[in-house]
Amino acid sequence: MNGHGQSDRPIVPVMASNKADEAAEATEGRGLAKGNPRQQNTLRAQDREGAPSALSRVRQAAQRNRNERFTSLYHLICDVEGLRSAFYQLKRSSAPGVDGETWHHYEGALDANLCDLSARLRRGAYRPKPVRRVYIPKSDGKQRPLGIPALEDKLVQRRAVEVLNAIYEVDFVGFSYGFRPGRDPHQALNALHAGLHTEVNWVLDADIRGFFDAIDHGWLVKFVEHRIADRRVVRLIQKWLKAGVLEDGEWRSSEEGAPQGGSISPLLANLYLHYAFDQWVQQWRTRTGWGRVIVVRYADDFVLGFQHEGTAKMFLAALKERLQKFNLELHPEKTRLLPFGRYTAGRREERGERGKRASFNFLGFTHLCARSRDGKFQLLRVTERKRMRIKLRGIKDELRRRMHRSVPSVGRWLRSVLQGHFNYYGVPLNGRALSAFRFHVVGLWYRTLRRRSQRTCVTWERMTRLSKRWIPPARITRSYPPNLPAVSTQGRSRMR
């Protein structure tokens, strides 16, 4: 404990790996799930130790018995103070749902609204509203459907996620990184970086076609009931799944899928893949495969590395059969098996092969095999070109909308955009792509300023001064991934 009467801080102590030669793995203790420190432990008396909070007791019970089913969780979701904490975690500027309710308007009578919501939840009178369907562009030019729930639905879902995370964060495996508290894409990238520096010779880059729209409600409810025996919680999840979609003023029922945009959807997606994919992979590589097999999954996008080509092909065939059982299928255009690893470049040179090097995309980065100056294997991660083109196109459109605003106003906006870009893509060996991105943004701003008037006075000398003042320089913001034994897996399940 970090203090008398307080929950453990999210500090993960690193312990030695079980096998010294498995450098890409590490066993670690588990810190408190993100968001739970708000649940402070209660003190009965000054001379007694603090009693654990309700969520802490749920987490401890889940850790003690991995097969235990929880029969009394619904009252934690209905708790007014828990709902209040969840309300202040919502984005204040998020788009309203079908009822038009906004965060600021709901806060005007927060106490009364939360008491009324809690009472409706307790007596079973709470009815989720249909989600409002909107579309956003995808990197491949298609449209991604998003569902925007009503504010009260977001609120109850956020609270339910807090309660359920106390259970499922104990169960989820180490190589699952998407939409989990305390985890981010760069941890998944670091884990993949560590795995590819082992005896990996083949990489399977896979993506599930329309995953969120293909989730089978029947299977999902069965997966929930593995750990949740509280029928009120199960019915609450079923209500959200059956709420339907409102698009162009027309309501449509949803017999399958989980609309992207709700707070509960990422947790349900991880739960679905935990039973349909994660646990099966763990067993397959232990019982069937041979050689080293590594796995890194971020939501429905995952990468596997294999030591032997035969193992990779056998796994791919078994994976297709496994996913079909749960109403899922691999995307034929985004799923590839390719030679990739520390020995690939040398074997390529021995065979005298020329042409484009094998590469794959994961979490916005193109991964390539390269060699350092002293001839050692080097994993090159550069900004995915398609992502960069889409980002530049969006900046160009926004600059046109801001054309007649003041230069300082536009400069401050561009500074925040580029700083966010550098913070994510600023990995080692990606400096050239960062500099190219900055160069194109400066050029777009220069052309926008020249279009403000037919008698323009914007010269490159002035543009250079403006860019030095407002546009941050391209720089590497991320350090090299930690040494291979230090890669975070955070749990009993291994990353390899």
Side-chain angles (χ1 to χ4, degrees):
M1 300 293 290
N2 296 304
H4 182 63
Q6 296 182 353
S7 301
D8 294 344
R9 298 181 183 274
I11 298 175
V12 183
V14 178
M15 299 190 302
S17 178
N18 291 337
K19 297 183 180 180
D21 60 338
E22 293 181 353
E25 307 169 5
T27 307
E28 298 181 352
R30 182 178 293 277
L32 205 69
K34 186 178 180 182
N36 290 340
R38 292 179 178 269
Q39 292 283 339
Q40 297 294 329
N41 294 341
T42 57
L43 289 175
R44 296 181 60 188
Q46 293 183 356
D47 57 345
R48 297 186 183 184
E49 295 184 0
S53 68
L55 292 185
S56 297
R57 292 194 297 270
V58 171
R59 185 183 300 105
Q60 293 168 6
Q63 290 173 340
R64 284 194 303 267
N65 186 356
R66 296 300 182 96
N67 297 319
E68 182 173 350
R69 301 181 70 222
F70 292 82
T71 59
S72 181
L73 295 173
Y74 192 70
H75 67 285
L76 299 177
I77 299 177
C78 302
D79 179 63
V80 174
E81 292 306 314
L83 292 172
R84 188 189 308 276
S85 174
F87 174 77
Y88 282 106
Q89 295 177 33
L90 298 177
K91 292 183 63 176
R92 306 188 180 190
S93 59
S94 59
V98 295
D99 58 352
E101 184 69 72
T102 62
W103 190 95
H104 294 282
H105 182 267
Y106 197 84
E107 187 193 25
L110 183 60
D111 291 337
N113 289 332
L114 292 181
C115 289
D116 176 67
L117 177 60
S118 177
R120 283 186 282 126
L121 283 168
R122 293 180 186 276
R123 67 174 185 267
Y126 165 75
R127 296 291 184 272
K129 296 178 175 61
V131 298
R132 181 167 65 89
R133 175 60 56 84
V134 296
Y135 292 89
I136 60 173
K138 296 175 61 176
S139 58
D140 56 2
K142 299 180 181 179
Q143 296 289 318
R144 182 191 303 277
L146 288 182
I148 302 179
L151 185 117
E152 280 195 340
D153 297 336
K154 295 179 186 177
L155 172 57
V156 180
Q157 289 180 14
R158 179 61 63 89
R159 179 56 183 170
V161 168
E162 289 182 352
V163 174
L164 296 178
N165 268 341
I167 301 171
Y168 290 119
E169 279 301 305
V170 176
D171 295 344
F172 288 159
V173 298
F175 58 75
S176 170
Y177 290 90
F179 309 119
R180 291 181 59 186
R183 296 197 165 200
D184 57 48
H186 277 278
Q187 290 180 342
L189 290 167
N190 288 343
L192 180 60
H193 185 281
L196 293 178
H197 277 79
T198 60
E199 301 89 351
V200 169
N201 297 311
W202 291 85
V203 163
L204 174 62
D205 177 25
D207 184 88
I208 300 176
R209 184 204 292 267
F211 169 68
F212 281 90
D213 298 328
I215 293 178
D216 185 272
H217 291 179
W219 277 113
L220 180 58
V221 172
K222 290 181 181 179
F223 295 153
V224 171
E225 291 175 341
H226 275 303
R227 287 289 246 168
I228 309 300
D230 191 334
R231 293 302 307 169
R232 296 171 297 176
V233 175
V234 177
R235 284 196 297 268
L236 182 63
I237 294 175
Q238 289 176 316
K239 286 181 180 179
W240 288 324
L241 294 175
K242 301 295 184 182
V245 176
L246 189 66
E247 183 176 0
D248 297 331
E250 181 181 352
W251 179 85
R252 295 203 309 268
S253 62
S254 53
E255 299 300 330
E256 61 181 16
Q260 300 183 61
S263 301
I264 196 69
S265 298
L267 175 61
L268 296 181
N270 271 333
L271 178 62
Y272 199 88
L273 287 177
H274 172 71
Y275 289 102
F277 176 78
D278 296 349
Q279 289 190 340
W280 174 79
V281 169
Q282 295 276 49
Q283 296 179 2
W284 188 92
R285 66 183 180 182
T286 302
R287 301 175 181 177
T288 306
W290 66 90
R292 178 172 290 274
V293 179
I294 67 165
V295 189
V296 176
R297 181 176 68 81
Y298 195 92
D300 60 332
D301 190 10
F302 49 90
V303 175
L304 293 97
F306 302 89
Q307 184 175 357
H308 304 292
E309 181 182 5
T311 307
K313 292 181 177 180
M314 184 169 57
F315 175 84
L316 180 57
L319 177 61
K320 292 179 180 179
E321 183 178 350
R322 173 70 178 182
L323 294 180
Q324 187 177 7
K325 178 180 178 181
F326 300 100
N327 197 36
L328 302 175
E329 65 173 333
L330 294 176
H331 198 295
E333 298 177 359
K334 298 182 180 180
T335 301
R336 297 183 304 143
L337 180 63
L338 64 153
F340 195 98
R342 61 191 308 170
Y343 305 113
T344 303
R347 293 169 181 170
R348 178 185 172 91
E349 293 175 358
E350 292 176 0
R351 292 192 297 264
E353 296 181 1
R354 298 182 178 275
K356 187 177 180 181
R357 291 178 292 178
S359 64
F360 66 92
N361 298 322
F362 185 63
L363 298 180
F365 289 91
T366 299
H367 293 67
L368 305 102
C369 295
R371 288 187 180 275
S372 61
R373 293 181 178 178
D374 55 0
K376 295 182 179 180
F377 169 73
Q378 202 168 45
L379 180 62
L380 188 62
R381 298 178 295 178
V382 299
T383 308
E384 188 179 341
R385 290 185 178 181
K386 184 182 295 184
R387 294 281 187 97
M388 183 184 293
R389 287 197 299 267
I390 293 174
K391 186 68 174 180
L392 290 173
R393 192 180 304 122
I395 292 176
K396 178 181 179 180
D397 295 339
E398 186 63 26
L399 281 173
R400 288 185 176 180
R401 284 191 288 268
R402 298 172 182 252
M403 179 183 297
H404 297 290
R405 296 188 184 183
S406 64
V407 170
S409 173
V410 178
R412 284 190 292 269
W413 172 73
L414 284 175
R415 176 191 294 167
S416 64
V417 171
L418 268 76
Q419 191 60 57
H421 183 87
F422 296 155
N423 288 342
Y424 184 81
Y425 289 101
V427 299
L429 306 178
N430 196 29
R432 182 178 298 179
L434 299 180
S435 299
F437 183 80
R438 184 184 186 275
F439 174 79
H440 288 302
V441 170
V442 172
L444 291 174
W445 194 16
Y446 172 70
R447 288 190 289 272
T448 302
L449 290 175
R450 289 181 63 88
R451 289 192 180 99
R452 295 174 66 171
S453 172
Q454 293 181 351
R455 296 181 296 179
T456 180
C457 59
V458 180
T459 61
W460 266 115
E461 288 74 17
R462 184 191 175 196
M463 194 66 230
T464 302
R465 294 194 300 270
L466 291 177
S467 63
K468 287 183 178 180
R469 179 178 181 182
W470 298 110
I471 307 298
R475 63 187 183 91
I476 302 300
T477 57
R478 300 275 177 174
S479 60
Y480 274 95
N483 293 332
L484 302 186
V487 171
S488 173
T489 58
Q490 201 172 18
R492 295 184 180 179
S493 301
R494 298 183 178 275
M495 184 279 302
R496 68 173 180 87

